[in-house]
Amino acid sequence: MMKMMITWRILFSLLCFVAFVYGQFSPDEAAMNALKTSLNSPPSFSGSNPCNWTKVVQCDGSHRVTHIQIKSLRISGTLPIDLKNLSSLIVFEVMENNITGKIPSLAGLRSLETVNFHDNGFTSIDPDFFTGLSSLQSVFLDNNPFDSWEIPPSLKNATSLAVFSAVNCNLSGKIPDFLGGTFPSLMTLKLSYNSLVGELPMNFSESRVQVLMLNGQKGVEKLHGSISVLQNMTALTNVTLQGNSFSGPLPNCSRLVSLKSFNVRENQLTGLVPPSLFELQSLSDVALGNNLLQGPTPNFTAPNIKPDITGLNSFCLDTPGTSCDPRVNTLLSIVKAFGYPVNFAEKWKGNDPCNRWVGITCTGTDITVINFKNLGLNGTISPLFADLASLQVINLSQNNLSGNIPQELTKLSNLKTLDVSNNHLCVETIPGFNTSIVHVNKTGNNCDIGKDSPNAGKKASSNAGKIVGSVIGILLALLLIGFAIFFLIKKKKQYHKMHPQQQSSDQDALKITIDNLCTGGSESGFSGNDAHLGEAGNIVISIQVLRDATDNFDEKNILGRGGFGIVYKGELHDGTKIAVKRMESSIISGKGLDEFKSEIAVLTRVRHRNLVVLHGYCLEGNERLLVYQYMPQGTLSRHIFHWQEGGLKPLEWTRRLIIALDVARGVEYLHTLAHQSFIHRDLKPSNILLGDDMHAKVADFGLVRLAPEGTQSIETKIAGTFGYLAPEYAVTGRVTTKVDVYSFGVILMELLTGRKALDATRSEEEVHLATWFRRMFINKDSFPKAIDHTIEVNEETLGSINIVAELANQCSSREPRDRPDMNHVVNVLVSLVVQWKPTERSSDSEDIYGIDYDTPLPQLILDSSYFGDNTLTSIPSRPSELESTFKSGQGR
Ligand SMILES: *[C@@H]1O[C@H](CO)[C@@H](O)[C@H](O)[C@H]1NC(C)=O
Ligand SMILES: *[C@@H]1O[C@H](CO)[C@@H](O)[C@H](O)[C@H]1NC(C)=O
Ligand SMILES: *[C@@H]1O[C@H](CO)[C@@H](O)[C@H](O)[C@H]1NC(C)=O
Ligand SMILES: *[C@@H]1O[C@H](CO)[C@@H](O)[C@H](O)[C@H]1NC(C)=O
Ligand SMILES: *[C@@H]1O[C@H](CO)[C@@H](O)[C@H](O)[C@H]1NC(C)=O
Ligand SMILES: *[C@@H]1O[C@H](CO)[C@@H](O)[C@H](O)[C@H]1NC(C)=O
Ligand SMILES: *[C@@H]1O[C@H](CO)[C@@H](O)[C@H](O)[C@H]1NC(C)=O
Ligand SMILES: *[C@@H]1O[C@H](CO)[C@@H](O)[C@H](O)[C@H]1NC(C)=O
Ligand SMILES: *[C@@H]1O[C@H](CO)[C@@H](O)[C@H](O)[C@H]1NC(C)=O
């Protein structure tokens, strides 16, 4: 056996030698021809000897293939599994083609140094791909429509890795720990525009990465947590974390001596901008906007620096370098010891702590009371409380504070009450307060976590006690079980109440499809090539069903009229209510029709609790009908502008906040859909519908256009409604997601004032709400007059009214880049709603966190074939373009 193999080997080598002599044969011929075949034999692969394909292949002296470089040759097809037979391969590059299918494993190719797959149609990568690729240095996977995937553990084998770039390729899960520690030579890590979640791994501390790009994660969760680990990543030159949910303070940058570019826009970062950042001399680009940064506006001092600090933050004053009021400085030092919590960063605005700062009460300009009771605070008590000499009351009770009570607090000569009850403080030895003057409450503290809790200490001392104890225990357990059952039943009932249609009408709609498909007919429904669209789950409903449901479009069933047609209420034979929009046929005809169909194909599959469900549609003859979920409480405009006529009650402020949050979530979802961004373009109260639970859903996707991934904007015909149009859109017709943010800002103004975006009945300077509102808002005296008089303005509501007013102003900024992303808007509104509905945290938690447990978020996997060639070719999303995130105030 052994002998035979050796003989064969010799024979094979001999053969190779002969072939070499004649200059014809390459041992890689079979594998290379398999590649040629599966790439549909492109012209540059001429003949059968791969070493002769000089434009795309290089061989070494033994006629082994070392380089395959097929760039931008419009090649399609797939890659064969035989690639892993090319054991001398060093470089494999197929970027910017149209190759599809799975990237096969190249496991074991020890010479392989570079692989480049970016900008193709690959849908997956073999999990085993990286096994044994010990020489691999560069990996590019950017811009491929992968199915959701995670970085495979086999990457650990690629210990020589220097560049790993997987931008915009549907990567999910967490950033694996091993990317930090395992790769001593990793210099570039680009994972932007994916769906990554979780925190930065702690062992990034050991990483020598220079370029770190994690911006623009999609979905609700995003990357979050602290970015303090950056302070140990001393090799960093370029960092982009824009558009995530990172929180806590900026890192100390004193060791980041090579840092050139630092972009953390659109996160939840709090605290002061450290001097180690704004004095960093290597820095040339920095972007901090749309965070919750506090303290003085930083004065960047590096030569030629271009700081971008536009957009929201919580700086005390606008002028860079100007110090804050000493009271502000002290308060910020105090909350520093709590890790700069978000709730202070959001609510402490301006330079005057006596101007309605949460938790602060003043007498004149002196801070007399600090009440931070029950705010979930972590950390320690700062000795700097002692700098606020006028303090009379400090209440820090019911938090998670640890450490000691600082000795310095005894210096507060006016202090009367210090309540630190119910924390984790060490109170065995308390500083020497004069207890006849200062009332100190330290009950419920226990700094030694290892110790038995006080209750556990009180062991039942007698048998009788034990028996009583266990009886009580059993009773308690029974009670608990009873409660659990009670709540389960209640929850279930609530679900049925809130989602009456989910139960029947989806099924019903499906039934309709099967029973009454608009089949055949060139004009009606889909046929021929389009058949797959039907299979993809969109629903075609026959005109007859809709006629029956609406009494043949009877006048009495009209719910409303819009620019595009009339909306009718309808009822299916089983009683399910629907809303049918009958569009004028002139609006969509000819070429637009195909586009319209494919758009609906997508939209019928878009599901979010804050978007009205589009059940289906019908296109027959001249009829164009859209069938929506029926929303019993009608439009938002009915409730804010026409409540008197409708015999309704005016909306309370808390309800308006919840509605604003609902709308913001719906729009955020549209903006961050899995593979592309939708822009609504016509947000306004008459397109916002309310259910019986008074929760809002965004409706009318008639104007939504698909915004291809990565394009900065799309130019299109103007559509929308005056009063809500962003200036740049009205002037240039350029559409970005910021157009919706503008309209949303106007809606917030309407919710605040009860006035319409355009109201011709008012005096000239009050006609245009956005302009008038801005003027009223600037002046603190005039602003209260602008608030809708039906809103009860009291000390409690005023805080959130002010925040919403500021948000409205920011959203409707003239410059698109000054407007926040919807992500930020949601974060701001969530904090206000949470503040208002503390009790709902447990009973109705999905409202607070926007997670719809009933309707799973769709994994909207959009087959490229839905969009036709023109759409595909209009996606010029090269990595370079995606990275130009400093400009992305215009993008997403
Ligand atoms: C690649 O190698 C495998 C086994 O190592 C073999 O079965 C296969 O035929 C080879 N492919 C080609 C095209 O030579
Ligand atoms: C390879 O190219 C050489 C010269 O360019 C040519 O003489 C030879 O015939 C080619 N061989 C094949 C198999 O095409
Ligand atoms: C590759 O990684 C696997 C675990 O993922 C490990 O078992 C194996 O030893 C590694 N091989 C090499 C060559 O590093
Ligand atoms: C930075 O590195 C030091 C020393 O390795 C470590 O103790 C510290 O925890 C690290 N800090 C962060 C924020 O990772
Ligand atoms: C890093 O940032 C600098 C300064 O903004 C820029 O010139 C350079 O192109 C960036 N490098 C990379 C790899 O992004
Ligand atoms: C900002 O920095 C510049 C350059 O170091 C300095 O000249 C200027 O005085 C600083 N401005 C303030 C307000 O501190
Ligand atoms: C305190 O820490 C917990 C757990 O890490 C965190 O969930 C909470 O948000 C923190 N509280 C504040 C006010 O930051
Ligand atoms: C101390 O605080 C606890 C809990 O906050 C409270 O129940 C108790 O009455 C307080 N004690 C005094 C003496 O005020
Ligand atoms: C890519 O391939 C698909 C299907 O194979 C085809 O429809 C499309 O036109 C191709 N795109 C380009 C840019 O060649």
Side-chain angles (χ1 to χ4, degrees):
M1 189 70 181
M2 199 67 182
K3 236 183 200 165
M4 203 153 106
M5 254 173 72
I6 290 168
T7 323
W8 274 113
R9 278 214 180 143
I10 293 171
L11 215 75
F12 182 77
S13 313
L14 214 69
L15 214 70
C16 288
F17 179 71
V18 172
F20 176 70
V21 168
Y22 283 87
Q24 293 292 324
F25 183 75
S26 162
D28 292 330
E29 198 164 314
M32 289 302 285
N33 278 296
L35 176 65
K36 175 177 171 176
T37 309
S38 69
L39 295 180
N40 306 323
S41 306
S44 32
F45 291 56
S46 64
S48 64
N49 182 352
C51 298
N52 258 20
W53 306 340
T54 49
K55 287 202 183 106
V56 290
V57 172
Q58 289 176 38
C59 294
D60 61 11
S62 0
H63 288 228
R64 299 301 311 270
V65 171
T66 56
H67 291 63
I68 300 174
Q69 289 166 297
I70 312 166
K71 182 185 172 184
S72 302
L73 291 179
R74 296 176 168 273
I75 286 173
S76 60
T78 57
L79 297 180
I81 55 162
D82 312 279
L83 282 178
K84 72 171 173 204
N85 296 19
L86 300 172
S87 55
S88 298
L89 198 60
I90 300 170
V91 174
F92 185 73
E93 295 183 332
V94 296
M95 62 278 215
E96 296 167 16
N97 284 294
N98 198 1
I99 306 173
T100 52
K102 184 178 188 171
I103 297 178
S105 171
L106 296 185
L109 297 188
R110 279 178 209 291
S111 313
L112 196 62
E113 290 174 8
T114 300
V115 291
N116 196 333
F117 299 99
H118 78 70
D119 292 276
N120 274 289
F122 292 113
T123 49
S124 63
I125 180 165
D126 193 309
D128 196 30
F129 182 89
F130 299 100
T131 304
L133 301 188
S134 51
S135 304
L136 192 64
Q137 292 167 15
S138 304
V139 178
F140 300 89
L141 299 167
D142 319 59
N143 303 322
N144 276 296
F146 282 173
D147 301 333
S148 180
W149 66 296
E150 297 188 19
I151 293 178
S154 70
L155 185 64
K156 276 192 247 180
N157 280 186
T159 47
S160 310
L161 202 63
V163 178
F164 187 82
S165 186
V167 172
N168 188 32
C169 56
N170 210 7
L171 201 48
S172 59
K174 297 184 178 174
I175 300 176
D177 272 354
F178 61 78
L179 277 179
T182 317
F183 302 106
S185 43
L186 187 64
M187 289 187 332
T188 300
L189 181 62
K190 298 185 184 177
L191 305 174
S192 315
Y193 302 109
N194 285 299
S195 304
L196 293 170
V197 296
E199 307 196 11
L200 293 181
M202 280 319 286
N203 65 2
F204 267 22
S205 229
E206 298 147 42
S207 162
R208 302 294 302 156
V209 163
Q210 297 171 5
V211 176
L212 178 67
M213 300 203 158
L214 303 173
N215 51 303
Q217 299 304 324
K218 298 165 196 174
V220 182
E221 209 176 322
K222 305 176 198 250
L223 293 169
H224 56 82
S226 161
I227 60 171
S228 63
V229 68
L230 295 184
Q231 75 193 41
N232 280 345
M233 299 175 71
T234 53
L236 284 173
T237 61
N238 298 54
V239 177
T240 303
L241 306 178
Q242 178 171 2
N244 281 292
S245 301
F246 288 116
S247 57
L250 290 166
N252 178 338
C253 300
S254 50
R255 294 167 63 210
L256 308 189
V257 290
S258 311
L259 193 63
K260 291 203 285 269
S261 149
F262 186 71
N263 178 355
V264 294
R265 280 186 75 90
E266 287 155 18
N267 281 285
Q268 294 257 79
L269 299 170
T270 54
L272 272 60
V273 179
S276 59
L277 178 63
F278 63 77
E279 288 171 359
L280 196 64
Q281 295 303 301
S282 56
L283 210 55
S284 67
D285 276 302
V286 62
L288 304 176
N290 291 341
N291 278 289
L292 298 165
L293 296 169
Q294 298 160 285
T297 301
N299 183 17
F300 287 93
T301 58
N304 307 320
I305 191 166
K306 286 175 285 188
D308 172 4
I309 44 176
T310 58
L312 282 178
N313 261 311
S314 302
F315 297 129
C316 63
L317 292 164
D318 290 338
T319 324
T322 318
S323 330
C324 305
D325 186 287
R327 294 168 302 165
V328 173
N329 289 338
T330 305
L331 287 171
L332 290 178
S333 309
I334 288 170
V335 296
K336 179 183 182 182
F338 308 143
Y340 294 116
V342 163
N343 48 356
F344 296 127
E346 274 174 341
K347 288 166 199 152
W348 287 3
K349 300 277 179 170
N351 200 24
D352 180 6
C354 295
N355 183 12
R356 302 192 296 250
W357 278 26
V358 163
I360 310 295
T361 307
C362 297
T363 305
T365 57
D366 293 337
I367 299 175
T368 48
V369 178
I370 286 189
N371 182 357
F372 292 165
K373 182 178 170 182
N374 194 15
L375 293 175
L377 300 177
N378 307 312
T380 59
I381 302 177
S382 166
L384 292 165
F385 273 102
D387 290 359
L388 299 170
S390 48
L391 271 180
Q392 295 169 10
V393 177
I394 301 177
N395 186 348
L396 301 173
S397 61
Q398 300 175 32
N399 288 296
N400 305 316
L401 300 175
S402 54
N404 296 306
I405 299 173
Q407 184 66 40
E408 285 83 348
L409 266 54
T410 56
K411 289 190 216 148
L412 289 166
S413 54
N414 295 305
L415 194 65
K416 297 195 181 65
T417 304
L418 174 63
D419 189 346
V420 294
S421 57
N422 297 322
N423 279 287
H424 305 293
L425 295 161
C426 300
V427 290
E428 274 73 45
T429 53
I430 275 206
F433 290 102
N434 181 345
T435 45
S436 64
I437 302 170
V438 186
H439 169 62
V440 180
N441 189 341
K442 59 183 176 90
T443 56
N445 273 293
N446 187 0
C447 77
D448 189 356
I449 293 165
K451 241 196 268 174
D452 282 349
S453 73
N455 287 342
K458 290 178 201 150
K459 285 195 183 123
S461 53
S462 69
N463 268 345
K466 268 182 201 159
I467 291 165
V468 171
S470 45
V471 168
I472 291 176
I474 291 168
L475 283 178
L476 269 177
L478 283 175
L479 212 66
L480 268 175
I481 292 170
F483 266 121
I485 291 172
F486 172 76
F487 276 116
L488 268 176
I489 291 171
K490 200 173 154 198
K491 183 90 192 162
K492 201 155 179 187
K493 274 193 185 145
Q494 235 174 27
Y495 169 74
H496 288 311
K497 219 165 67 196
M498 282 168 56
H499 305 264
Q501 287 136 348
Q502 241 79 8
Q503 272 215 306
S504 52
S505 78
D506 279 1
Q507 281 162 15
D508 197 79
L510 275 169
K511 235 186 300 160
I512 301 170
T513 326
I514 295 159
D515 294 344
N516 307 293
L517 250 174
C518 299
T519 45
S522 51
E523 274 289 293
S524 61
F526 294 124
S527 57
N529 315 343
D530 288 325
H532 66 282
L533 287 174
E535 285 160 21
N538 60 322
I539 288 156
V540 186
I541 301 172
S542 105
I543 182 81
Q544 198 48 49
V545 168
L546 299 179
R547 278 192 206 286
D548 292 348
T550 59
D551 295 339
N552 201 13
F553 303 108
D554 194 292
E555 289 254 330
K556 71 171 194 294
N557 284 327
I558 292 181
L559 289 171
R561 290 169 206 269
F564 297 88
I566 301 175
V567 184
Y568 297 87
K569 179 177 169 179
E571 194 171 323
L572 299 173
H573 54 268
D574 72 341
T576 309
K577 297 203 170 77
I578 53 174
V580 182
K581 179 173 235 181
R582 192 184 198 187
M583 316 233 269
E584 284 161 35
S585 57
S586 60
I587 292 185
I588 298 149
S589 57
K591 258 181 89 185
L593 198 58
D594 286 336
E595 207 178 311
F596 182 70
K597 282 186 208 167
S598 62
E599 204 162 307
I600 295 176
V602 174
L603 292 173
T604 46
R605 294 154 70 206
V606 169
R607 297 273 151 139
H608 185 271
R609 61 188 287 116
N610 301 121
L611 298 178
V612 173
V613 176
L614 177 61
H615 284 316
Y617 62 95
C618 177
L619 305 164
E620 279 188 40
N622 283 330
E623 294 282 5
R624 281 104 182 79
L625 299 134
L626 296 175
V627 181
Y628 290 104
Q629 173 184 21
Y630 175 67
M631 297 288 287
Q633 288 298 326
T635 66
L636 176 60
S637 40
R638 178 169 170 252
H639 289 264
I640 50 178
F641 307 131
H642 309 295
W643 53 275
Q644 272 165 318
E645 295 101 293
L648 301 165
K649 273 194 275 179
L651 291 176
E652 287 168 21
W653 174 242
T654 50
R655 180 46 64 189
R656 294 182 199 218
L657 272 181
I658 293 168
I659 290 171
L661 176 59
D662 287 340
V663 175
R665 281 196 171 124
V667 178
E668 183 199 31
Y669 175 81
L670 282 176
H671 286 185
T672 56
L673 272 177
H675 271 291
Q676 79 275 69
S677 183
F678 285 84
I679 301 170
H680 188 290
R681 302 208 300 171
D682 198 16
L683 278 179
K684 55 183 175 182
S686 55
N687 280 339
I688 293 164
L689 300 176
L690 300 174
D692 270 332
D693 57 0
M694 292 304 280
H695 271 287
K697 292 180 197 272
V698 177
D700 203 342
F701 305 107
L703 290 171
V704 173
R705 279 280 182 279
L706 298 171
E709 185 73 48
T711 48
Q712 293 276 321
S713 73
I714 43 177
E715 281 163 40
T716 123
K717 270 190 290 179
I718 297 278
T721 306
F722 288 116
Y724 303 88
L725 286 185
E728 81 280 4
Y729 176 41
V731 173
T732 64
R734 283 162 60 82
V735 183
T736 67
T737 51
K738 298 284 169 131
V739 163
D740 285 347
V741 178
Y742 184 94
S743 312
F744 183 78
V746 177
I747 294 170
L748 287 181
M749 292 175 184
E750 293 179 317
L751 285 169
L752 282 159
T753 62
R755 293 178 178 224
K756 292 183 184 170
L758 277 185
D759 189 346
T761 64
R762 295 193 186 265
S763 70
E764 197 167 322
E765 64 243 34
E766 298 187 16
V767 168
H768 185 223
L769 177 62
T771 313
W772 175 77
F773 184 90
R774 236 173 263 132
R775 206 168 45 240
M776 297 297 277
F777 183 67
I778 291 169
N779 185 338
K780 267 200 183 127
D781 299 329
S782 69
F783 179 59
K785 287 180 222 138
I787 300 170
D788 188 344
H789 64 271
T790 68
I791 297 176
E792 192 186 330
V793 182
N794 55 37
E795 211 173 311
E796 277 181 307
T797 50
L798 197 58
S800 66
I801 287 175
N802 278 320
I803 292 170
V804 172
E806 188 167 333
L807 186 65
N809 239 351
Q810 200 78 36
C811 288
S812 306
S813 300
R814 294 201 70 79
E815 292 296 328
R817 60 155 196 214
D818 294 344
R819 297 174 208 149
D821 276 357
M822 289 314 288
N823 162 33
H824 178 86
V825 173
V826 168
N827 287 339
V828 172
L829 291 172
V830 164
S831 73
L832 298 178
V833 170
V834 169
Q835 180 197 0
W836 276 104
K837 304 204 305 173
T839 49
E840 290 193 39
R841 205 180 254 274
S842 47
S843 67
D844 195 8
S845 59
E846 63 227 89
D847 272 350
I848 306 286
Y849 300 107
I851 302 163
D852 192 343
Y853 297 114
D854 308 317
T855 324
L857 294 184
Q859 188 55 42
L860 197 77
I861 300 164
L862 290 166
D863 181 348
S864 56
S865 56
Y866 285 163
F867 303 111
D869 299 352
N870 49 349
T871 324
L872 243 191
T873 49
S874 72
I875 306 181
S877 42
R878 303 280 171 260
S880 57
E881 219 164 283
L882 288 168
E883 279 157 21
S884 58
T885 47
F886 281 100
K887 300 192 198 97
S888 74
Q890 309 216 346
R892 289 166 306 109

